[in-house]
Amino acid sequence: MRSDRTSHKADRELLLGLVDALNVSKNRLGRDPCGDSNIVGRRGHVSTDGVAAYVYLACKTKRRWETAKSALGVPATQDGDTEGVLRMDNPPSESQAEILRRLLGLRKSIRPSDKQRATLARFSFRRDNSGGF
C-alpha cells in the first residue's frame, strides 16, 4: 500500500468523495483495527492508498466473482478463486456505482432536494427540556 503511514487525510478525503459518488450514507465510513478509513459494506469494503481506491469483494462462488470483475471493468490487483481486490483509479460512473452498491451490500442514500429541505425547515422542532411530550 502506501509508504508514508503518518497522514490519513488523503485517505479520508478520497473515501468521502467515494461516499458521494456511490451515493451512500457517511455512516458507512469507518476505521479498521489498524486505524485506516474504509467504506464497509455487508459483502466487502473499500480502502485506499491516498491515490486509488481498492475494492475488496468476497463472492460465494467463482462464477459470481468472475461476473463481478467483468461487470465493473476495472483491473484486479489480487485475483483469487472467489474473492479479490479491484483497483479503481477514477471515481465510479453512475452504472459502476450502482453495481458497486449491489456487490458490496450498500444501501443507496436518499438525499432531500432543496425544496424538500425548505419544507422541512418550516417544521423544525426545538428540543424542549420540560419533560413533557
Side-chain angles (χ1 to χ4, degrees), residues 23-70:
N23 204 10
V24 296
S25 172
K26 289 183 183 176
N27 291 337
R28 297 286 87 210
L29 187 60
R31 293 195 182 267
D32 62 10
C34 297
D36 297 329
S37 295
N38 293 313
I39 299 173
V40 181
R42 290 183 314 223
R43 292 181 293 274
H45 64 270
V46 181
S47 59
T48 181
D49 63 357
V51 178
Y54 295 91
V55 179
Y56 168 77
L57 286 173
C59 300
K60 291 184 179 181
T61 64
K62 184 175 183 174
R63 186 174 184 175
R64 285 186 184 177
W65 168 237
E66 294 296 328
T67 304
K69 287 191 301 184
S70 65

Side-chain angles (χ1 to χ4, degrees), residues 11 14 17 24-25 29 42 51 61 65 75 78 80-81 91-92 95 99 101 103 106 113 117-118 123 126 131-132:
D11 289 343
L14 183 63
V24 296
S25 172
L29 187 60
R42 290 183 314 223
V51 178
T61 64
W65 168 237
Q78 295 177 3
D81 288 338
S95 61
I99 293 167
R101 282 192 306 268
L103 291 172
L106 295 168
S113 67
R117 286 181 195 271
F123 298 105
R126 294 194 180 105

Side-chain angles (χ1 to χ4, degrees), residues 7-27:
S7 173
H8 295 286
K9 187 174 184 178
D11 289 343
R12 185 154 175 84
E13 292 298 320
L14 183 63
L15 288 172
L16 283 172
L18 278 172
V19 163
D20 289 337
L22 290 172
N23 204 10
V24 296
S25 172
K26 289 183 183 176
N27 291 337

